[in-house]
Structure formats: C-alpha cells, structure tokens
Amino acid sequence: MAVLKLIRGGAIGQILPLSGDRIVLGRHPTCQIVLDNVAVSRHHAQILESHGTYFLEDLRSRNGTQLNTESIRGRVELKDGDQIKLCDYVFQFLVSSTATTDLPRLAGGKIPLRSRTRETIDNISDPSVLADDHASSHVEGSSIISSLEPESVQTIRLHVRPEVKLRAILEIGQVLARVLQVDAVLPLILDGLFKIFPQAEWGFVFLKDPVTGRGSVRTSKSRRADEEDRFPFSQTIVDQAMNSGKAILSADALRDARFATSDSLQGLQIRSVMCSPMQDVSGQALGVIQICTRDLNQQFTSDDLELLASVSSQCARALEHATLHEQLLAQREMERELEFATQVQLGFLPSEAPQLPGYEFDDYYEPAHRVSGDYFDYIRLPNGNLAVTVGDVAGKGVPAALLMARLHASARYHLLSATSAAEALSSLNSEIATSGLGFRFITLVMAVINPKTNEVHIANAGHLPPLLRSRRGVIGPIGLKDSGMPLGVLLQQNYRETVLPLEPDDTLLFFTDGLTEAMNDAEQIYGQGRLLELLKTAPVPVEDLVPFVVDDVEHFVSERSQRDDLCIVAVRRME
C-alpha cells in the first residue's frame, strides 16, 4: 500500500497510508487527511488510485498544489519518491513503506488521518444493571401470574435454575455474537429459544418501525411444519408488554378473560404464553419476543419468564448493534456514491483556463457540500469566439448537482447552435420550462467574447450581474437593466444582450451568491458593497485577483461553516 511521508510542516516523519480509492487533503473536517492551516483550501487536492496506479489532482485550490516544485492543473500520475507540496506542507509519495509504528495522534489536530466510514460498534456497552428485584402481579380477570422488567434481569442470575441460564448464555450468546444483520439475527434468536424451552411450540419476534411507529412480525417459528404459516398473535398481549415495559406470563391463555376475543389463541388452543419486550438503552420499546405452548402439563414458570426476560435484554442489545451496523454500511455506501458523484461533477468543470490571445482567465469553485449546484464553463465557438457561462441551481446536494449536469450539457448545445448569447439563453429557457422538472430556481449568465473586436456580449437570466473594473478605476455591475427572469419561470422569454467594449486592463468578475451572501458569526453577510470596495485595491492579474477575493471572504466568515456553494470566474483583457 502506498503512503505519504510528511517531510515538512507538522510532525515530520509521520506516515499516512493511502487506503481507499480516493483520499482528499484539505482543511475541511470531512477530508481524509485534514491539514489545519488557513492557507489550505477546504478541499485542496486529492489522490486517486486505479489498478495500482496513483494520481494527484488539485481541486481548484486557491493556493495551488505542486508536484516536484511544479504547479499542477488537472490530474497527474504519481511516481515513487515524488514530493507533493500543499502550502506549508510537503509530503513524499512512497509506493511502499517499512514503517511499523502506529500513526501518532498529534496534539491540536494537526494532520490527523480522518476516516468518515470506519466506525465501530464494539464500544457500545450495556447500561448499568438496575435493581435486581422484580415484581409479581396477578391481574384481576386474567391468568397472568407474573410480570417483571427485562432490564432488571439484564445479567443472568445463576441462583435460579443455573443450568438453564448457563445454557442460555452459551446458545443465545453464540448466536448474537456471530451475526450483525437484523434479518439474520431474528431467526437465530428463535432457534436458540426453542432449544432452551423444549415445551415451546410457537414463537415470533415482533418489531416496531422506528420511523412510522408501526409494528409487524418479522420472523416466526413452529415445531410443526404444517403450522409454519400460522402462529398465535394477540395484539393485546403484545401491546401490554410493550406499553408496560414488563415481561408477562399467562399460565392458561384460554381462561384469560382479556384474551377471550383472540381468534389466534382460541383457534390454535394456546394455553401458556410468555411475552417479553425488547427495549433500547433509553427504555423505548423495540418490539417483543413471544413463545407459547398448547400443553398444560408443560406450562411456563416464573423462572422461565425471568430467563426469557434476560434473553430479551441481550437480544435488544444485539438488535441495536445490528441496526447500527446496517446504518454504518448504508452510510458507507452513501459515502461511496457521493465520492463518485463528486468525481463526475468535477469532470464537468474545466480542468484548466482557456488560451485566448490577449486575454487571461482564472476561476475558483468550492461546494458547500460534497456536490454543488453552482456551474461554470468555457465554451469555444465555431467562429473563434469564447463563451463564459456561470450559473446557480437553487438548493444544494445531489438534486442540485443533477440539474447542474443537465444545465452544463444544454448550455453548450444552445450556445453552439445559436447565433447570439441572447438567442442561446432564450432557447435554453424554453427547454428548461418544458422539461417537466417542476419549479426550480436556475439563474445563468452568458458572456461571449469576440477577440477580434474586443467586445463582450452578455445575456443574463436572473443571475447576479458581473462586475466590471475598468482601467480607469470605475467599478460597477454590467447589464443589470437587460437581465431577464431565471430559467424555466416563463415558457416564452426573450432575453436581451448588453454589448460592452473591453479596454486593455478591463476586468470582468462573475460570481454566485455564495460570495456576497457569505455570513460571519455575527450573522452579517459579506455583501456586494464590501466586494466593490475590495476590488479597488485588488491586484490586476486575475491569477492574483481571484485568490485575493477568496481570502477576504474566508477572513470575513472566519471559522463559520460554508452555507452555500461558491464560484468565481475572472476575465481580463491584457495590454
């Protein structure tokens, strides 16, 4: 397995194994390798593994990533011994390592190896054992002769029928220790109980859905093959056990007036019944275990009830563990899907700035979550012009990212087939409005640059207007009056263009609302006014201008988590 060895910054000599197909390095706590330095971007760079070959990719970080002192754009293959530099940190990439020491946990959280999916449920322990006594009760009008709280017998008490309880420990304990899937645990529980209680003829496990609150029989067992699909289910008994939180024993259910209306009990001539609730550590009912017999000569006893209550407590813990395990597996699968979605979305974005004589470009892209609804693109047109598009799909996460992917493809098609930015935007709007996607707030600005005339044609569908910083120092929004409605709001929408001649050193700044609506701990937003003031003193080259803006935004919000996606594109006509 390949590793990274830290050779500068932090704890020099630390070895970081590259386990997994994708390792993200950055400042955000969701990264696999977290670099606690304000110069590092939230998601700075990533290392990808494919069939034993490793690749390094910069994730559009503001300060860049260097490989062997050379800045990289896009994805490059890693070789044994390569040096990777991320701001103040320098790592050496090694295909194999002979390091035998455990990874240190460094004070202050510097360069910890983070894993979002490798969790454990081994440290979940039973709560403290409650009082050891249990209450016996005789319910008037019924043959319930005993009841007790399962938590009160959470540990096996060997002074009551010790040979049976030891047998229960061996049988049930082995079953519960082997399996971590709920549906696999339940039948094994009944198998173990049937061995412990040879008089048991039927049994079932009833579980409550934690979301809907409704319950159902998840598994059942009968000693007779012809009765596999029939089992004595009494809602009265189940409800009483779950609502009271106590295991109940009916010596003769047929003579119990409260169960007289139960067709299942009457039809199958059920006599002795035990039903014990399963509760989580907070005391909430998870379900019940019930076993019963038709033979009055082999009635269940109070000792049997105590044993079943003990077993049900163990089963409840096992069910909690199994549920946690399944949740972790589902979370791990979701993480894998999100990682794939992130890779797909990054593939939509330009891997490098375009080369257009007389112009320079720079950009910055940072999703608030793993995937984003923000979008930008550079599109070369057949006539030699270059289109710059910046958009924002309302919302965050996967739904917004899916619409962003469609917007990426559709915008390219309409720009390549239309004769102007306004025409392309109008036809794109018609497509979105008739797509059946429902109301989605999608804003988009298109700017087509003609390098021969040095004019830019801007059409805007409700997006934040780009800012122009002229060589004379005038700064302000462009095309505000010509802006139309967001895409998809109106079926027929004719957009207008703003034509702007670009002078040498004129700079256009496109951005999404993640910039102007960034908020600090005092609930103050960054705002366009602050951005206009900042541009007065910002550097001229766009490769310096964009990081300058990003740094100011991050300084403004401090350590507050990013609420919205952020996208910035800068275009400058050079001398």
Side-chain angles (χ1 to χ4, degrees):
M1 177 175 62
V3 299
L4 291 181
K5 180 179 181 180
L6 184 63
I7 59 176
R8 196 173 79 192
I12 295 175
Q14 184 180 6
I15 302 296
L16 303 175
L18 300 178
S19 56
D21 298 335
R22 178 173 181 257
I23 300 294
V24 179
L25 300 89
R27 201 174 77 247
H28 199 276
T30 59
C31 295
Q32 280 80 9
I33 298 178
V34 181
L35 305 175
D36 188 11
N37 188 307
V38 294
V40 177
S41 296
R42 288 183 175 88
H43 300 90
H44 197 108
Q46 65 182 2
I47 295 177
L48 306 171
E49 186 270 335
S50 177
H51 303 290
T53 302
Y54 290 81
F55 300 89
L56 174 66
E57 182 176 2
D58 182 76
L59 297 179
R60 315 193 74 83
S61 63
R62 68 178 185 276
N63 289 323
T65 302
Q66 292 182 331
L67 179 63
N68 299 326
T69 72
E70 296 291 333
S71 296
I72 65 169
R73 294 292 294 262
R75 188 176 301 177
V76 295
E77 184 177 347
L78 287 171
K79 303 294 184 183
D80 189 30
D82 280 350
Q83 291 191 6
I84 303 169
K85 182 180 179 184
L86 286 75
C87 301
D88 296 333
Y89 300 97
V90 179
F91 300 91
Q92 186 175 28
F93 173 77
L94 301 172
V95 174
S96 61
S97 174
T98 57
T100 58
T101 57
D102 291 336
L103 297 179
R105 295 183 177 272
L106 302 180
K110 306 294 184 180
I111 325 180
L113 183 65
R114 300 288 181 90
S115 173
R116 299 184 303 281
T117 56
R118 292 183 59 193
E119 302 287 348
T120 178
I121 60 175
D122 295 336
N123 61 344
I124 301 175
S125 58
D126 288 340
S128 300
V129 179
L130 303 178
D132 212 24
D133 352 309
H134 61 273
S136 296
S137 63
H138 184 83
V139 180
E140 184 177 354
S142 78
S143 58
I144 296 177
I145 62 171
S146 182
S147 66
L148 71 156
E149 298 179 3
E151 293 298 320
S152 69
V153 289
Q154 198 168 44
T155 57
I156 302 297
R157 292 183 292 167
L158 298 181
H159 67 277
V160 181
R161 300 184 66 184
E163 71 284 356
V164 176
K165 296 199 171 189
L166 285 173
R167 185 178 177 185
I169 293 174
L170 293 175
E171 295 285 350
I172 300 295
Q174 290 174 0
V175 165
L176 299 182
R178 288 198 305 264
V179 186
L180 277 176
Q181 288 79 37
V182 172
D183 289 333
V185 165
L186 301 181
L188 298 179
I189 291 174
L190 290 181
D191 290 343
L193 289 174
F194 271 47
K195 293 178 182 178
I196 296 170
F197 301 109
Q199 71 269 47
E201 296 183 65
W202 282 282
F204 66 82
V205 179
F206 177 92
L207 292 184
K208 185 173 72 172
D209 189 294
V211 178
T212 65
R214 299 176 181 176
S216 63
V217 175
R218 293 287 291 272
T219 189
S220 62
K221 182 179 177 65
S222 172
R223 288 198 187 273
R224 294 177 55 176
D226 59 339
E227 295 178 339
E228 283 289 345
D229 297 330
R230 303 174 61 200
F231 53 89
F233 178 82
S234 170
Q235 191 68 53
T236 303
I237 296 177
V238 169
D239 288 345
Q240 183 171 339
M242 292 184 65
N243 294 336
S244 67
K246 295 181 179 181
I248 59 177
L249 167 64
S250 178
D252 188 352
L254 290 183
R255 296 185 180 181
D256 190 332
R258 298 181 65 183
F259 308 147
T261 59
S262 175
D263 293 336
S264 57
L265 296 178
Q266 297 293 331
L268 294 173
Q269 294 294 299
I270 296 305
R271 308 306 291 260
S272 187
V273 177
M274 289 193 301
C275 185
S276 180
M278 294 179 289
Q279 298 174 317
D280 62 19
V281 291
S282 65
Q284 296 298 313
L286 301 174
V288 301
I289 301 176
Q290 180 174 309
I291 57 175
C292 50
T293 181
R294 286 179 288 201
D295 190 351
L296 278 180
N297 294 322
Q298 298 191 63
Q299 292 179 342
F300 296 115
T301 66
S302 297
D303 288 348
D304 293 330
L305 182 67
E306 183 179 355
L307 176 56
L308 180 63
S310 298
V311 171
S312 70
S313 291
Q314 297 180 62
C315 293
R317 300 292 83 77
L319 285 175
E320 285 187 286
H321 293 181
T323 301
L324 285 172
H325 179 71
E326 291 180 351
Q327 290 173 349
L328 290 173
L329 292 179
Q331 180 182 357
R332 182 179 301 174
E333 182 62 27
M334 183 177 294
E335 287 287 340
R336 279 197 287 261
E337 291 177 359
L338 282 175
E339 287 182 2
F340 179 72
T342 301
Q343 291 300 302
V344 170
Q345 186 170 52
L346 288 174
F348 286 127
L349 302 177
S351 59
E352 58 184 7
Q355 300 298 316
L356 189 67
Y359 289 84
E360 63 174 4
F361 302 81
D362 198 31
D363 50 69
Y364 179 82
Y365 184 87
E366 180 77 15
H369 302 297
R370 298 287 292 277
V371 289
S372 166
D374 280 7
Y375 146 80
F376 79 98
D377 200 4
Y378 305 116
I379 305 164
R380 291 192 176 275
L381 304 179
N383 58 7
N385 294 345
L386 179 74
V388 177
T389 56
V390 176
D392 187 358
V393 176
K396 304 176 184 67
V398 174
L402 290 173
L403 284 178
M404 174 271 201
R406 173 167 183 166
L407 183 62
H408 172 274
S410 296
R412 280 181 165 253
Y413 168 76
H414 290 287
L415 274 166
L416 290 169
S417 58
T419 58
S420 67
E423 180 185 337
L425 203 55
S426 297
S427 58
L428 176 60
N429 173 73
S430 297
E431 178 192 325
I432 297 297
T434 58
S435 62
L437 297 174
F439 180 75
R440 278 283 180 174
F441 197 81
I442 304 175
T443 66
L444 179 68
V445 59
M446 291 180 171
V448 178
I449 302 171
N450 187 329
K452 297 178 182 178
T453 64
N454 292 310
E455 289 181 338
V456 58
H457 294 242
I458 301 173
N460 195 335
H463 196 78
L464 293 171
L467 299 180
L468 171 68
R469 183 178 69 177
S470 72
R471 65 183 304 174
R472 295 183 297 276
V474 179
I475 303 173
I478 299 299
L480 186 59
K481 293 182 179 180
D482 292 329
S483 180
M485 296 291 289
L487 296 175
V489 176
L490 299 175
L491 179 59
Q492 297 296 329
Q493 171 86 26
N494 293 320
Y495 293 93
R496 296 183 297 179
E497 287 187 355
T498 298
V499 181
L500 177 71
L502 292 176
E503 302 293 333
D505 274 343
D506 281 356
T507 300
L508 280 172
L509 189 71
F510 303 85
F511 53 92
T512 58
D513 57 8
L515 192 161
T516 53
E517 295 181 7
M519 185 175 290
N520 62 15
D521 291 333
E523 303 294 328
Q524 300 170 325
I525 64 170
Y526 188 83
Q528 183 166 295
R530 183 183 177 99
L531 178 59
L532 292 172
E533 287 297 318
L534 181 72
L535 291 178
K536 293 179 181 179
T537 59
V540 173
V542 294
E543 63 179 8
D544 299 324
L545 168 65
V546 171
F548 185 79
V549 173
V550 173
D551 285 342
D552 192 67
V553 172
E554 294 202 343
H555 177 75
F556 176 81
V557 301
S558 185
E559 292 302 315
R560 186 184 178 107
S561 60
Q562 186 176 342
R563 296 191 318 159
D564 203 355
D565 307 321
L566 176 59
C567 177
I568 303 173
V569 177
V571 181
R572 170 178 167 253
R573 182 187 170 189
M574 297 185 294
E575 292 283 358

